[in-house]
Amino acid sequence: MLSIKLAWRNLIGAGLRTWLNVFVLSLSFLIIIWHKGIIAGWDRQAQRDTINDEIGGGVFWHKNYDPYDIFTLVDAHGKIPEKMQTEIKKDKLSPILITQATIYPEGRVQTILLKGIIHSQTVVNIPTAKLSTNMEEIPAVIGTKMAKNNNLKVGDVVTARWRDANGVFDADELKIVEIFKTNVPTIDNGQVWIPLSKMQSMLQMPGEATIAITAKEDGLRKNVGSWIFKDHNYLLKEFKEMIKMKNFGGYVMWLVLLSLAWLAIFDTQVLSIFRRQKEIGTNIALGMTRGQVIKIFTVEGVMYGVLAAILAVLYGAPLLYLQAKNGMVMPEGSDEYGMAISDKIFPYYSFGMVLITATITLISVIIVSFLPTKRIAKMNPTDAIRGKVQ
Amino acid sequence: MNKKALISTQQLIKHYPVGGGKFTALKDINLNVISGEFTGLVGPSGSGKTTLLNILGALDVPSEGNAVVLDHSIGNLSHKQAANLRNMYFGFIFQTYNLLPVYTVYENVEFPLLLQKLSHTERDKAVKQALEWVGLTDKIKSRPAQLSGGECQRVAIARAMVKVPKIVFADEPTANLDAENSHNILQTMLKLNNDIGTTFLFATHDEKVITYLRRKISLNDGEIVDDKVI
Ligand SMILES: Nc1ncnc2c1ncn2[C@@H]1O[C@H](COP(=O)(O)OP(=O)(O)OP(=O)(O)O)[C@@H](O)[C@H]1O
Ligand SMILES: [Mg+2]
């Protein structure tokens, strides 16, 4: 109690210098929490969107399917087995047939992925119901980015050209019936969705698919014959790795700020121990032990941490809260990562994350405050009283 | 002497390491101080006054021989015991006042009582009493920077006296003061010595101080060359 009281008196007495240290420290607190909050918010949003819009509860891949090698698509299709058919009938599985195609919007040549999907499916969040129309052209839905990049609007008609199962070129007109908004670029950029049955007949691949998306709540979760089930762990691996990298970047930033705070506190401590040696000597003459003096100086340092935490809460909590509530607008072009990212991210602050961050910061500050006090233990009080220690 | 000695030394020697060898600052000091004395260690600069005062005040230890203060052998005390002795029974007054600049007058005087862990009411009473003794009750909220040298030294006296110590050690308490303030300070201390019976031990070469002393112990080159009651 005594050391807390005395340390407090000393800090208040030191004035501006105290508040400067406290501010730098509070900033380092806040920035890491803020950064981690954004990443966590993005992580949650992106995983949710990816699951809802693209991968459901996991995806069956035809054994030849390789999303990174577009030329495998020629061989990556096969008959949908009986077991999966049952699931499809229950709307627990959504088969997709994929092929490479070319469209000619406004006379330009554009390579795309043509994807056949059952119009009645609800497994993924794509407005496939719009594909259920009777028209001369093939109905197609596309994402907003695809629409923007190719200047396509609802009602536009474009020519598409593809090769069928025998490698023979064929062509037909596509009519855009719907443009949908998604945060998942992999179902948007360069993708055109058309009715599965239509596509199967176009390609002469009746009853075939390339992949099949399972419902996110329940459904098949194990390989079926030559159809390999890819779970969330696998499908989100890359994304999770990128989140890790982003977090790492945050730690680096945190460390830089934290070292600034360490330096400020260390410097303040060394300087004040030198400047206040007369005070230290006097305190000892007045009956303090060296241990008590060291304790006061350490407590002063710790108080920086505590004050910084309080300050961070005072000005930081409202800011962070507002942002968590209203979301943070992401700059244009943020989706170039190729990862699901929405226009607005809602930072997410977990109690554990804030606690761990605060604890690490505090402990490091205690250590940094304590280190310079070793000088006090070596001080000769008779010299210190006169301020003669070098 | 019929009274028991508060302070006594036998063949007290103090060396300081200097370069490779050592410098002897005190040579064979034998000394007794009894309760209620108003005594000064006087002598030229470098004669060992401060060195002796610091040892008797348990801030330093003898190299050889013995120094017994309030029945404690200074050389055998642990850091903690020495701190406790200073905390409970000693008061210190320094040439440069050594007040804590960030504390108010009140807080400076209160400080030793905080170390003694006295209650708030006990502290408050004692601080106000001590400030009355030195005539500074109107400066309670001032900080040292706002006070004159004489006022600072009176705060320091109040700080030394607030716990009603057995002995006050005062090292050149008037060296930074003008004549008027010096007399002021000395009269205050003499009065406290008379009224409360606190023992005062000075280290000084100031003639003004010497005229107030009742016993003058003269040091030269680390030796007592004269010891007389005036
Ligand atoms: N820490 C030290 N290391 C080495 N020598 C010291 C130390 N402290 C004091 N001395 C020496 O011991 C001698 C006595 O010093 P001391 O400070 O006791 O003298 P003093 O009588 O108080 O002098 P002054 O009137 O100038 O204060 C001096 O020669 C001084 O140089
Ligand atoms: Mg001296």
Side-chain angles (χ1 to χ4, degrees), chain A residues 77-377:
Chain A
H77 53 87
K79 282 263 188 280
I80 303 170
E82 201 63 41
K83 200 170 168 191
M84 286 166 67
Q85 302 254 15
T86 329
E87 290 288 302
I88 293 166
K89 285 201 188 84
K90 290 190 284 182
D91 195 25
K92 295 285 178 207
L93 193 65
S94 177
I96 314 255
L97 183 59
I98 308 174
T99 191
Q100 212 185 344
T102 314
I103 56 170
Y104 303 89
E106 298 176 327
R108 287 183 298 119
V109 183
Q110 177 76 32
T111 304
I112 56 151
L113 283 183
L114 205 52
K115 292 185 169 175
I117 186 165
I118 296 174
H119 66 79
S120 59
Q121 68 82 34
T122 62
V123 169
V124 287
N125 210 358
I126 297 172
T128 48
K130 298 276 181 183
L131 296 173
S132 161
T133 56
N134 267 323
M135 54 170 71
E136 211 175 308
E137 303 90 352
I138 303 168
V141 301
I142 55 173
T144 46
K145 287 181 196 96
M146 174 71 181
K148 193 176 161 218
N149 291 341
N150 296 290
N151 207 7
L152 291 169
K153 296 178 297 295
V154 173
D156 284 359
V157 175
V158 279
T159 308
R161 207 164 85 108
W162 65 89
R163 282 173 196 256
D164 67 16
N166 306 314
V168 178
F169 276 109
D170 197 355
D172 204 340
E173 305 279 277
L174 301 180
K175 186 170 182 181
I176 310 298
V177 293
E178 177 75 355
I179 293 172
F180 64 96
K181 171 97 188 84
T182 177
N183 295 321
V184 184
T186 42
I187 63 165
D188 183 341
N189 284 334
Q191 319 276 314
V192 175
W193 300 85
I194 60 171
L196 178 65
S197 49
K198 178 75 194 165
M199 183 148 162
Q200 285 169 337
S201 64
M202 279 158 52
L203 298 182
Q204 297 179 22
M205 297 175 185
E208 294 196 15
T210 306
I211 60 173
I213 306 162
T214 64
K216 62 182 172 183
E217 298 83 16
D218 53 22
L220 291 177
R221 297 283 188 266
K222 282 209 174 72
N223 297 352
V224 178
S226 57
W227 294 79
I228 319 295
F229 181 71
K230 303 290 186 185
D231 62 6
H232 283 173
N233 268 347
Y234 181 89
L235 296 169
L236 294 170
K237 197 166 86 190
E238 237 178 287
F239 178 73
K240 283 181 172 154
E241 245 145 47
M242 196 191 55
I243 289 289
K244 242 189 239 161
M245 290 288 292
K246 292 259 155 207
N247 269 329
F248 180 75
Y251 288 129
V252 170
M253 201 158 64
W254 183 32
L255 208 66
V256 169
L257 272 166
L258 203 54
S259 355
L260 267 179
W262 288 338
L263 216 69
I265 290 174
F266 190 83
D267 188 56
T268 308
Q269 287 284 72
V270 170
L271 204 81
S272 72
I273 286 166
F274 178 74
R275 231 172 0 122
R276 288 161 62 186
Q277 49 173 297
K278 211 163 148 181
E279 171 188 333
I280 292 167
T282 307
N283 288 351
I284 290 175
L286 293 180
M288 272 195 175
T289 59
R290 283 188 179 83
Q292 276 177 304
V293 177
I294 287 174
K295 200 163 149 200
I296 287 183
F297 273 80
T298 310
V299 170
E300 280 180 32
V302 173
M303 275 185 178
Y304 284 128
V306 174
L307 286 178
I310 293 172
L311 188 69
V313 168
L314 283 185
Y315 74 80
L319 285 180
L320 296 189
Y321 172 76
L322 271 182
Q323 207 177 39
K325 198 163 148 262
N326 299 329
M328 184 171 104
V329 177
M330 295 308 284
E332 195 96 12
S334 301
D335 55 352
E336 275 160 21
Y337 293 116
M339 300 288 169
I341 187 161
S342 60
D343 309 338
K344 240 183 188 185
I345 283 186
F346 292 85
Y348 174 73
Y349 307 102
S350 72
F351 180 71
M353 182 265 277
V354 173
L355 196 73
I356 287 172
T357 311
T359 310
I360 291 177
T361 311
L362 266 183
I363 288 176
S364 71
V365 165
I366 293 175
I367 294 170
V368 172
S369 322
F370 176 71
L371 284 179
T373 61
K374 277 202 292 204
R375 281 187 75 103
I376 295 174

Side-chain angles (χ1 to χ4, degrees), chain A residues 41-84:
Chain A
W42 178 22
D43 187 11
R44 280 157 59 99
Q45 165 262 318
Q47 291 207 35
R48 194 185 52 225
D49 290 351
T50 304
I51 288 168
N52 286 340
D53 297 3
E54 187 185 11
I55 62 172
V59 181
F60 284 97
W61 287 8
H62 182 270
K63 66 177 195 304
N64 294 334
Y65 177 63
D66 176 0
Y68 299 107
D69 184 358
I70 212 160
F71 299 107
T72 59
L73 285 174
V74 178
D75 300 314
H77 53 87
K79 282 263 188 280
I80 303 170
E82 201 63 41
K83 200 170 168 191
M84 286 166 67

Side-chain angles (χ1 to χ4, degrees), chain B residues 151-204:
Chain B
E151 286 170 329
C152 282
Q153 198 58 302
R154 281 196 278 158
V155 175
I157 294 171
R159 180 176 64 183
M161 286 303 299
V162 72
K163 55 190 172 186
V164 195
K166 289 261 194 294
I167 311 168
V168 169
F169 298 95
D171 193 355
E172 315 272 9
T174 56
N176 284 3
L177 300 177
D178 59 23
E180 197 192 323
N181 271 310
S182 299
H183 286 294
N184 229 316
I185 294 295
L186 282 156
Q187 270 153 17
T188 306
M189 290 196 277
L190 197 57
K191 188 171 178 322
L192 290 167
N193 171 257
N194 278 327
D195 296 354
I196 300 169
T198 305
T199 306
F200 278 80
L201 188 60
F202 294 87
T204 187

